């Protein structure tokens, strides 16, 4: 890269480095002030000097680039030629590649070893200052890795930035998710193992000796999660590994399908490969759930402008799957195909009515097939009497505060999705301005984005949501899908060295890293003997109580699924469904629950630790308050926790590494439970 064609690139990077150092500088000053550190007597003075020096050097660099002396231009060009000669040596490229790979490993090692972001007991090191220094260090290590990647691959700076940052983002995301593939016997989180139980219902007769209705919530997800029961119904590790495979395999295949179907071979293999990896990482970070992937790739695989029957088949298949997946995804297959079709008609002279005739038919076919598949599923799955439960999304409360920073979501949905969406919207703006599409086509594309954006916001504020971005999944899909179509019609790639464009590219590639690296943790070291002791305690108590009546597992029901506890299954009131009915205010379901609890139908109940505390703040406090008032208070009035461990002191709370359980038995004298 000569001086002239690299000017904008280096101006942008110096500018970004200034911003990074200013953020780190102000954060450090604020923390130094809080700790009452006297800088001129502290080693932190050196850090302050380094921050200011870096900012000053970057400002000088920008000034030299904007108004370069002739000698400076010559020196830079000479240095570029010298570097190019070094890069031509195979041994240099090999060593550079190895060191770049080493840097990929170095980042998580440093993060985990220093326990960045964690409060360490009895440590004199301030965790906030360590965190600030780590992320400052990360900026420089990132650029070192990019430079080494450039030497190793001899690609341009933009490609090397993408190669290294995407390699890091995907590697770390996979590393984080692999941590959940383990043999821990209890649920990792409130509802993690519940998902395996719902998958097991497909084989209920074989596993439980009962014919049970399938899940009414997210049916397609549990159909996919049922597959490992074909060969392994005793090992939770198998099912955790299968879920990991579904996340990685289906989302990668979907990303590949999008790029290959829309861009075909128009752009270079490297560009299409990097774009596929970027979309894959984007979907993982947003939380486009794997059971939604067929809704995307089925219409794509069957779409053809020359084969209307094949296209209609793709819409039918995608819509049938959408009907048993998520309500807000029902229109997705028809909308995707309609967008492809309408934007394919660039050279046609069709009127507006002629243009939307086929999309209207496709939309009707998609809606009818999705609703039909939903109805057929309700009938075949044994949920004919559960129509009110199936529509729980329509009766749940809306918490509009989740759109903004809160205890449940420190950034809020709007800011968070805005960070991810800005690069796509900027790219779309550039592509629209340089496209051959007419106003009708552009409006159709932009209207689609707006509708799915507003729909995502509405679903995000439903009680139980808003803590992450997975409810913005439909909007995320079209953020990818629409720019891809516009890009496929472009004659060449937009110039990323144009003013502001390179900064947007950097933002797009860095954002996933910003939200991934903080989650890097050492894999947990479980206390296997202690945890298995907990399983044995629950097993002994449950199997003893099962001799006198039904034992209800609200939580940890998978212990029955995998044969760790041998008691007859009580299908009602599993935590995930019970919570959904509480949030949606399903009066018939809750009346039945109250009746069963007040008559002490169950000889024992296994539940996560219960309390009746009502809060006004904290993560998911609205959901917790509902659960505590409608579930916990009712149970605790008619049931009492049993002492489950005597040592080191008597306790009714059965603790494991990630779990707190209670084993409850009927009270002899219930209190006033009105």
């Amino acid at each position: 890269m000569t001086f002239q064609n690299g000017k904008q690139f280096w101006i942008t990077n110096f500018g970004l480095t200034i911003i990074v150092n200013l953020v780190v500088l102000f954060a450090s000053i604020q923390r130094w002030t809080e700790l009452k550190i006297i800088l001129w007597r502290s080693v932190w003075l050196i850090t302050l000097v380094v921050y200011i020096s870096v900012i000053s050097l970057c400002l000088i660099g920008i000034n030299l680039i904007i108004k370069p002396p002739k000698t400076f231009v010559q020196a830079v060009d000479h240095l570029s030629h010298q570097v190019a000669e070094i890069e031509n040596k195979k041994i240099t490229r090999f060593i550079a590649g190895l060191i770049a790979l080493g840097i990929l490993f170095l980042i998580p090692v440093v993060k985990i070893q220093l326990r960045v972001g964690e409060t360490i007991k009895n440590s004199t090191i301030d965790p906030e200052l360590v965190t600030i220094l780590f992320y400052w260090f990360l900026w420089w290590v990132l650029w070192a890795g990019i430079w080494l990647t450039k030497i190793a691959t001899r690609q341009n700076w933009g490609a090397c930035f993408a190669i290294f940052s995407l390699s890091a983002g995907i590697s770390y995301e996979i590393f984080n998710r692999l941590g959940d593939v383990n043999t821990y016997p209890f649920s990792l989180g409130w509802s993690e193992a519940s998902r395996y139980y719902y998958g097991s219902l497909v084989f209920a007769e074989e596993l439980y000796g009962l014919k049970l209705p399938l899940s009414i919530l997210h049916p397609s997800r549990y159909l996919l999660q049922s597959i490992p029961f074909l060969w392994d119904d005793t090992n939770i590790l198998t099912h955790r590994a299968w879920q990991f495979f579904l996340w990685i395999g289906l989302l990668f295949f979907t990303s590949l399908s999008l790029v290959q179907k829309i861009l075909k071979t128009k752009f270079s293999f490297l560009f299409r490969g990097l774009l596929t990896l970027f979309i894959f990482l984007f979907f993982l970070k947003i939380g486009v759930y794997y059971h939604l992937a067929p809704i995307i790739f089925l219409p794509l695989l069957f779409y053809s402008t020359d084969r209307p029957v094949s296209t209609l088949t793709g819409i039918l298949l995608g819509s049938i799957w959408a009907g048993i997946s998520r309500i807000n995804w029902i229109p997705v297959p028809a909308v995707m195909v309609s967008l492809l079709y309408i934007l394919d008609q660039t050279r046609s002279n069709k009127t507006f009515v002629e243009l939307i005739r086929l999309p209207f038919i496709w939309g009707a076919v998609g809606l009818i097939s999705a609703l039909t598949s939903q109805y057929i599923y309700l009938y075949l799955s044994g949920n004919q009497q559960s129509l009110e439960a199936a529509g729980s999304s329509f009766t749940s409360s809306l918490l509009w505060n989740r759109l903004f920073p809160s205890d449940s979501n420190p950034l809020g949905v709007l800011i968070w999705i805005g960070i991810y969406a800005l690069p796509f919207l900027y790219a779309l703006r550039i592509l629209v301005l340089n496209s051959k599409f007419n106003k009708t086509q552009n409006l159709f594309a932009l209207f689609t984005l707006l509708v799915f954006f507003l729909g995502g916001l509405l679903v995000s504020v439903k009680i139980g949501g808003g803590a992450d971005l997975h409810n913005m999944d439909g909007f995320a899909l079209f953020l990818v899908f629409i720019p891809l179509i516009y890009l496929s019609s472009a004659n060449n790639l937009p110039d990323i060295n144009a003013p502001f464009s390179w900064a947007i590219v950097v933002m797009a590639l860095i954002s996933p890293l910003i939200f991934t690296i903080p989650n890097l943790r050492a894999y947990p070291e479980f206390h296997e003997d202690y945890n298995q002791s907990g399983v044995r305690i629950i097993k002994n108590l449950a199997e003893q109580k099962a001799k006198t009546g039904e034992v209800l597992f609200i939580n940890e029901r998978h212990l029955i699924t995998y044969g760790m506890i041998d008691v007859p299954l009580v299908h009602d009131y599993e935590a995930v469904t019970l919570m959904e009915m509480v949030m949606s205010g399903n009066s018939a379901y809750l009346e039945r629950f109250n009746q069963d609890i007040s008559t002490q139908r169950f000889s024992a109940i296994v539940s996560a630790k219960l309390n009746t505390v009502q809060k006004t703040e904290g993560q998911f406090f609205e959901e917790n308050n509902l659960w505590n008032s409608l579930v916990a208070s009712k149970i605790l009035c008619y049931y009492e926790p049993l002492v489950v461990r005597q040592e080191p002191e008597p306790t009714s709370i059965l603790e494991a590494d990630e779990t707190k359980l209670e084993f409850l038995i009927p009270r002899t004298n219930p209190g006033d439970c009105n």
Side-chain angles (χ1 to χ4, degrees):
M1 179 183 288
T2 64
F3 175 78
Q4 290 300 325
N5 62 26
K7 286 177 65 173
Q8 188 59 47
F9 174 88
W10 289 111
I11 288 173
T12 304
N13 291 334
F14 280 140
L16 290 171
T17 301
I18 290 171
I19 293 171
V20 168
N21 279 269
L22 283 173
V23 170
V24 169
L25 174 62
F26 287 126
S28 298
I29 290 173
Q30 181 179 1
R31 188 57 182 163
W32 292 333
T33 303
E34 291 171 354
L35 296 175
K36 298 179 181 179
I37 293 174
I38 302 173
L39 280 179
W40 56 86
R41 297 181 182 177
S42 169
V43 71
W44 290 107
L45 179 62
I46 299 173
T47 309
L48 176 64
V49 171
V50 171
Y51 293 157
I52 294 173
S53 299
V54 170
I55 293 169
S56 301
L57 289 172
C58 287
L59 288 171
I60 293 170
I62 291 173
N63 186 61
L64 285 172
I65 293 171
I66 294 173
K67 299 178 180 178
K70 186 177 180 180
T71 54
F72 177 73
V73 174
Q74 292 173 342
V76 171
D77 286 344
H78 177 71
L79 180 62
S80 298
H81 290 305
Q82 293 293 321
V83 171
E85 289 182 10
I86 296 173
E87 291 176 354
N88 286 331
K89 297 179 180 179
K90 289 184 179 180
I91 185 63
T92 304
R93 297 202 304 274
F94 177 75
I95 293 172
L98 285 180
I99 299 175
L101 190 62
I103 288 176
L104 278 180
F105 285 101
L106 175 67
I107 293 171
V109 167
V110 172
K111 168 74 167 57
I112 291 168
Q113 290 299 316
L114 293 182
R115 298 176 64 180
V116 175
E118 301 178 43
T119 300
I120 305 172
K121 292 182 180 180
N122 304 319
S123 174
T124 58
I125 301 174
D126 182 68
E128 289 190 32
L129 288 175
V130 170
T131 301
I132 292 168
L133 277 178
F134 172 76
Y135 286 106
W136 180 79
F137 156 82
L138 191 61
W139 178 253
W140 299 108
V141 169
L142 178 67
W143 274 105
I146 293 163
W147 176 62
L148 289 163
T149 302
K150 187 177 187 307
I151 294 174
T153 63
R154 293 192 292 184
Q155 296 291 333
N156 60 60
W157 281 104
C160 293
F161 196 104
I163 291 169
F164 189 82
S165 57
L166 288 174
S167 297
I170 292 172
S171 299
Y172 302 157
E173 185 67 21
I174 289 175
F175 174 83
N176 287 337
R177 291 174 183 270
L178 267 176
D180 290 336
V181 182
N182 55 58
T183 58
Y184 180 64
F186 296 105
S187 184
L188 295 167
W190 183 72
S191 64
E192 181 255 353
S194 297
R195 313 298 178 183
Y196 313 131
Y197 161 71
Y198 284 111
S200 76
L201 294 178
V202 175
F203 302 99
E205 289 192 69
E206 293 87 341
L207 292 170
Y208 310 114
L210 299 169
K211 188 173 183 179
L212 299 172
L214 303 181
S215 172
I216 204 167
L217 304 172
H218 314 296
S220 63
R221 177 177 185 178
Y222 301 130
L223 288 175
L224 290 174
Q225 290 196 270
S226 72
I227 293 174
F229 285 101
L230 290 169
W231 67 83
D232 189 345
D233 58 9
T234 61
N235 193 345
I236 195 171
L237 177 65
T238 300
H239 294 260
R240 285 176 172 151
W242 175 252
Q243 181 168 251
F244 171 81
F245 169 77
L246 289 175
W247 274 112
I248 303 304
L250 285 182
L251 288 187
F252 179 76
F253 180 74
T254 300
S255 306
L256 185 63
S257 300
L258 280 163
V259 173
Q260 291 299 105
K261 184 69 176 183
I262 298 175
L263 294 188
K264 300 182 175 64
T265 58
K266 183 170 183 179
F267 298 97
S268 71
F269 177 80
L270 176 63
F271 176 76
R272 286 182 286 117
L274 291 174
L275 193 56
T276 299
L277 293 177
F278 174 65
I279 294 169
F280 170 55
L281 181 58
F282 175 67
F283 282 167
L284 285 173
K285 297 308 298 178
I286 292 293
V288 178
Y289 276 70
Y290 49 81
H291 64 293
L292 303 176
I295 304 174
I296 303 171
F297 65 71
L298 285 172
L300 284 175
L301 293 176
F302 283 88
Y303 175 75
S304 173
T305 53
D306 303 322
R307 294 182 293 169
V309 174
S310 176
T311 299
L312 186 61
T313 301
I315 294 172
L316 279 169
L317 293 174
S319 298
I320 288 169
W321 191 259
I324 57 171
S325 297
R326 295 193 70 182
I327 291 174
N328 56 314
W329 274 65
I330 284 177
V332 166
V335 172
M336 284 176 59
V337 171
S338 297
L339 272 170
L340 281 170
Y341 170 77
I342 287 175
L343 296 178
D344 266 343
Q345 305 300 309
T346 306
R347 296 179 179 84
S348 71
N349 296 318
K350 292 182 179 179
T351 64
F352 177 76
V353 173
E354 291 173 331
L355 194 63
I356 67 168
R357 183 181 298 155
L358 268 178
F360 179 80
I361 295 172
W362 289 334
V365 169
L367 179 62
I368 292 170
S369 59
L371 294 178
T372 302
S373 76
Q374 191 176 79
Y375 176 79
I376 292 173
Y377 174 81
L378 288 174
Y379 179 80
L380 295 178
S381 65
N383 288 292
Q384 302 95 321
Q385 309 302 320
S386 304
L387 292 178
E388 184 181 358
S392 61
S393 298
F394 297 107
T395 57
S396 300
S397 302
L398 301 179
L399 305 175
W400 294 99
N401 63 303
R402 297 280 169 88
L403 296 180
F404 311 103
S406 66
D407 291 334
S408 297
N409 188 337
L411 283 177
V413 172
L414 281 174
I415 294 175
W416 200 353
I417 192 63
I419 292 171
Y420 277 120
L422 180 59
F424 290 98
L425 295 176
Y426 178 79
L428 184 59
R429 173 181 172 273
I430 298 297
L431 291 166
V432 166
L433 292 175
N434 293 280
S435 75
K436 298 177 181 179
F437 299 123
N438 59 41
K439 287 184 179 180
T440 301
Q441 292 169 313
N442 290 334
L443 285 174
F444 190 86
L446 297 177
F447 179 73
T448 300
L449 264 183
L450 179 62
V451 168
F452 278 90
F453 173 70
L454 296 176
L457 293 183
L458 184 63
V459 179
S460 293
V461 299
K462 187 182 84 71
I463 188 169
D468 55 27
L469 294 178
H470 84 272
N471 287 315
M472 298 299 295
D473 47 12
F475 176 62
L477 167 62
F478 286 102
L479 270 178
V480 169
F481 189 71
I482 293 174
L484 275 178
I485 298 175
Y486 276 81
L487 185 59
S488 69
S489 68
N491 293 323
N492 46 50
L493 289 174
D495 181 13
I496 65 169
N497 288 317
F500 195 56
S501 294
W502 176 244
I504 292 295
V505 171
V506 172
M507 179 180 178
L509 294 169
I510 291 295
S511 295
L513 276 176
I514 292 174
F515 295 114
T516 301
I517 290 177
N519 295 324
L520 287 170
R521 297 280 191 280
Y523 288 167
E525 295 182 3
F526 295 114
H527 300 84
E528 187 173 347
D529 291 342
Y530 187 75
N531 295 335
Q532 289 299 331
S533 169
V535 173
R536 286 193 295 272
I537 290 171
I538 295 293
K539 174 181 172 66
N540 293 335
L541 291 172
E543 291 178 358
Q544 181 182 1
K545 285 294 181 181
K547 296 175 182 177
T548 59
E550 296 177 293
V551 178
L552 171 65
F553 278 72
I554 293 178
N555 296 90
E556 310 300 332
R557 193 169 291 189
H558 67 286
L559 296 175
I560 302 174
T561 301
Y562 296 120
M564 288 184 265
I565 295 178
D566 184 17
V567 299
L569 175 69
V570 178
H571 176 66
D572 296 318
Y573 315 128
E574 201 282 331
V576 172
T577 301
L578 180 56
M579 186 72 229
E580 183 67 21
M581 297 306 106
V582 166
M583 293 189 298
S584 63
N586 189 320
S587 56
Y589 187 96
L590 293 176
E591 283 176 14
R592 184 160 58 87
F593 171 75
N594 291 337
Q595 175 70 16
D596 286 340
I597 296 299
S598 61
T599 58
Q600 296 182 331
R601 168 188 165 186
F602 308 109
S603 64
I605 296 175
V606 177
S607 170
K609 185 180 180 302
L610 298 172
N611 68 76
T612 59
V613 176
Q614 297 290 297
K615 299 180 180 179
T616 57
E617 59 182 8
Q619 190 175 31
F620 288 119
F621 77 87
E622 296 96 339
E623 289 85 348
N624 288 331
N625 287 347
L626 272 179
W627 178 269
N628 289 348
S629 61
L630 297 179
V631 176
S633 61
K634 196 73 175 179
I635 293 175
L636 290 174
C637 188
Y638 290 98
Y639 289 80
E640 60 183 344
L642 191 68
V643 172
V644 291
R645 274 194 170 119
Q646 296 291 342
E647 296 179 357
E649 60 184 24
T651 178
S652 63
I653 301 173
L654 183 68
E655 293 194 54
D657 286 311
E658 305 281 339
T659 312
K660 288 185 179 180
L661 290 175
E662 289 182 323
F663 191 91
L664 301 110
I665 59 174
R667 290 184 184 274
T668 306
N669 297 304
D672 182 5
C673 300
N674 295 324

